[in-house]
Amino acid sequence: MSRILTVGAAQLGPIQRNHSRASVVERLIVLLHQAADHGVQLVVYPELALTTFFPRWYLDDITEADHWYETSMPNAATQPLFDEAKRLAIGFCLGYALLETAADGTRHRHNVQTLVERDGSIVATYRKVHIPGHEHYEPDRPFQHAERYYFEPSSEGFGVWRAFGSLIGMMICNDRRWPESYRVMGLQGVEMILCGYNTPIHYVPDPGQDILQGFHNALVMQSGAYQNGTWVVGVAKGGVEEGVDSLAQSMIVAPSGQIVAQALTTDDELVVARCDLDWCAKYKGTLFDFDRYRRPEVYGRITSQRGVELPG
Ligand code: ING
């Protein structure tokens, strides 16, 4: 008997800065109801799914950005989503900004995703590892991408959790561009990786890449899926958000690397696929039988080096 997990990639269109969390949660619940109509068991929402992508603005006083962060999950604004999902017995993965105050009073800002099971229990919260963009205000930019100012990189790495009758992993946006993200989860047997993203089409450091954003988005998730024998669910917040055009093209990728379903619009759109989790074994048990074929004894550079060390 195949293990089928029916997944909904719940793509969001733009969230403008004046959109209330209540109005956004309403949109999330509309997508949840569409998911229920399609027999979906797990809904995946984008990165920073409760607010606009606020790192596009640089605020000298970072505490002026506090209102973009959640301090707990669930909270008053998101409780309706948690309640409705539990009522419908649908699990979900939600991206948001988290502001935590440690016991010593220090404040920590992370870009996170929380995975919630069908019974409403919280499985885990993943904190983004690879933080792109820049730390300081860059006046020449048409818009900032100051994620390295607003978010700390996680030191927890990539986990895999037993949930939904499977082995589920999480990554966020820029993480999907790094093969290490997939491999660390692949080495834990991951069968489905959930990834929200906010990707501006205009790449300021090299505008020549703008035209390749869709190609690169698919390339990295298809290769990561194939090379680790896992499903990958990539979910965008797309469209023109506060004047910045962001890539949509949410997709569900099979362990073969094939795109089995993809968004057609740049707005709120549910992309559904019945994912056969047993397809993972077709790759994990043959081509990518890690224990049989990998050679970690010659991969030392991957964990000992950060940057390039050129030969003499
Ligand atoms: N955003 C982008 C991403 O990795 C980026 C940053 C944009 C990188 C365009 C390269 C090109 O998709 C986030 N939020 O990580």
Side-chain angles (χ1 to χ4, degrees):
M1 175 74 173
S2 291
R3 292 177 298 137
I4 304 291
L5 180 57
T6 303
V7 172
Q11 175 178 290
L12 288 176
I15 298 178
Q16 309 306 350
R17 67 183 305 161
N18 65 352
H19 286 174
S20 68
R21 279 181 177 71
S23 68
V24 172
V25 169
E26 281 177 24
R27 290 166 59 184
L28 302 181
I29 291 174
V30 164
L31 289 161
L32 189 70
H33 287 156
Q34 291 175 14
D37 293 344
H38 287 80
V40 166
Q41 298 153 301
L42 169 58
V43 170
V44 186
Y45 293 112
E47 173 189 30
L48 298 179
L50 297 173
T51 65
T52 196
F53 186 78
F54 61 88
R56 67 168 63 90
W57 301 296
Y58 190 94
L59 297 173
D60 289 324
D61 177 356
I62 198 169
T63 63
E64 289 180 13
D66 284 359
H67 66 94
W68 296 121
Y69 295 79
E70 313 305 314
T71 55
S72 64
M73 190 55 66
N75 56 40
T78 57
Q79 195 59 54
L81 173 68
F82 278 71
D83 293 345
E84 188 65 356
K86 184 176 181 179
R87 185 183 72 82
L88 295 168
I90 297 176
F92 63 95
C93 179
L94 180 69
Y96 56 94
L98 180 63
L99 173 58
E100 296 171 295
T101 303
D104 63 3
T106 54
R107 290 150 61 91
H108 299 276
R109 295 173 172 81
H110 287 284
N111 186 340
V112 309
Q113 277 179 188
T114 292
L115 180 61
V116 182
E117 252 289 11
R118 287 160 288 193
D119 64 0
S121 62
I122 289 181
V123 175
T125 292
Y126 163 73
R127 290 161 170 75
K128 190 172 180 177
V129 166
H130 298 98
I131 310 294
H134 47 96
E135 295 84 349
H136 307 294
Y137 178 64
E138 296 188 0
D140 296 338
R141 278 177 160 268
F143 53 87
Q144 305 294 303
H145 197 103
E147 286 197 59
R148 298 173 72 86
Y149 175 59
Y150 287 110
F151 301 123
E152 295 174 37
S154 164
S155 55
E156 295 170 351
F158 298 95
V160 171
W161 295 273
R162 294 187 182 279
F164 300 89
S166 184
L167 293 162
I168 307 289
M170 291 188 272
M171 61 185 179
I172 300 176
C173 204
N174 196 254
D175 288 329
R176 77 191 188 287
R177 299 181 191 276
W178 300 93
E180 294 89 344
S181 307
Y182 302 85
R183 181 62 92 219
V184 168
M185 289 185 270
L187 287 166
Q188 300 171 73
V190 73
E191 294 182 326
M192 182 173 286
I193 299 175
L194 315 179
C195 178
Y197 60 89
N198 286 221
T199 298
I201 288 172
H202 180 45
Y203 185 58
V204 175
D206 177 17
Q209 294 184 34
D210 294 9
I211 196 170
L212 296 172
Q213 288 294 8
F215 168 68
H216 287 155
N217 183 53
L219 174 69
V220 293
M221 290 195 283
Q222 287 181 269
S223 54
Y226 167 61
Q227 291 167 344
N228 293 278
T230 179
W231 288 88
V232 174
V233 183
V235 190
K237 168 140 61 70
V240 181
E241 188 177 270
E242 293 296 329
V244 176
D245 196 2
S246 297
L247 184 71
Q249 298 186 28
S250 302
M251 63 180 65
I252 298 172
V253 183
S256 60
Q258 293 168 289
I259 299 172
V260 298
Q262 186 163 28
L264 302 176
T265 74
T266 59
D267 214 326
D268 293 14
E269 179 181 348
L270 187 75
V271 180
V272 178
R274 294 177 77 254
C275 303
D276 185 338
L277 299 167
D278 293 335
W279 282 3
C280 297
K282 294 171 182 285
Y283 295 87
K284 294 181 190 288
T286 58
L287 267 167
F288 295 111
D289 176 343
F290 287 172
D291 190 40
R292 184 174 183 188
Y293 295 116
R294 287 188 71 246
R295 300 287 316 289
E297 61 273 21
V298 301
Y299 302 158
R301 290 181 185 274
I302 290 178
T303 56
S304 63
Q305 281 180 228
R306 182 193 305 279
V308 170
E309 293 177 9
L310 295 173

